[in-house]
Amino acid sequence: MNDHALDGYEISTDPARLDADLVHHWLAADSYWAVDRPRELHDRAVAGSLNFGLYEAGSGRQAGYARVVTDHATFAWLCDVYICRDDRGKGLGTALVEAVADRLTPCGLSRLTLATKDAHGVYEKVGFRALVSPEQWMTLGLIDPGPVEI
């Protein structure tokens, strides 16, 4: 993990530390993928996931968030990665994703997947790459908005 990027910050999976109101606000008001996500839906997603909080070490102020949907055995999906606007540009996003990967590596997962419109460089630094055989993947969009415009 990039410990230098975390100077002055810490990462925790303790659900009691999450600022649920803040995380919901970040995602519902300032992300392209979860705009207007209802609070009840957000709370259900958080409850069924492994959550990572990024915190300022001195104050405990939450500065970032990531969520993983996983069975802890074969598969995981990384989603809702967000760094507070005031804390961007310090390598914290990459450090948070590295912490997620480090936490999941001992599980022996076949794969950790994600989808992004604009942060490929962040994830490539951690080792993510485009699907080798995207034609093998399918999706069932129960509430599918279609492709995201770039």
Side-chain angles (χ1 to χ4, degrees):
M1 184 186 320
N2 185 354
D3 291 330
H4 176 70
L6 285 176
D7 284 348
Y9 293 86
E10 58 191 12
I11 295 171
S12 173
T13 57
D14 180 356
R17 291 188 69 184
L18 289 176
D19 184 335
D21 293 331
L22 179 61
V23 171
H24 177 257
H25 172 74
W26 282 341
L27 298 176
D30 194 40
S31 74
Y32 68 83
W33 64 90
V35 173
D36 296 329
R37 180 182 287 170
R39 179 61 188 262
E40 184 275 330
L41 181 65
H42 171 78
D43 290 345
R44 280 190 336 198
V46 169
S49 300
L50 173 60
N51 300 280
F52 291 76
L54 172 72
Y55 305 93
E56 200 173 56
S59 68
R61 175 187 66 86
Q62 188 162 354
Y65 174 75
R67 183 168 71 86
V68 178
V69 181
T70 184
D71 61 8
H72 298 278
T74 62
F75 182 83
W77 173 44
L78 174 60
C79 53
D80 289 345
V81 178
Y82 186 93
I83 301 297
C84 177
R85 288 188 175 273
D86 295 340
D87 298 284
R88 292 180 186 173
K90 302 175 184 177
L92 295 171
T94 300
L96 180 57
V97 174
E98 285 176 340
V100 169
D102 289 349
R103 167 67 170 71
L104 294 173
T105 296
C107 296
L109 304 174
S110 299
R111 68 183 37 93
L112 171 58
T113 63
L114 63 85
T116 184
K117 178 177 90 170
D118 59 359
H120 295 78
V122 170
Y123 300 107
E124 287 168 349
K125 290 175 188 174
V126 181
F128 283 86
R129 65 182 195 281
L131 293 172
V132 174
S133 302
E135 70 279 0
Q136 294 178 357
W137 289 80
M138 298 179 72
T139 184
L140 175 60
L142 301 177
I143 305 174
D144 191 349
V148 176
E149 296 291 324
I150 295 179

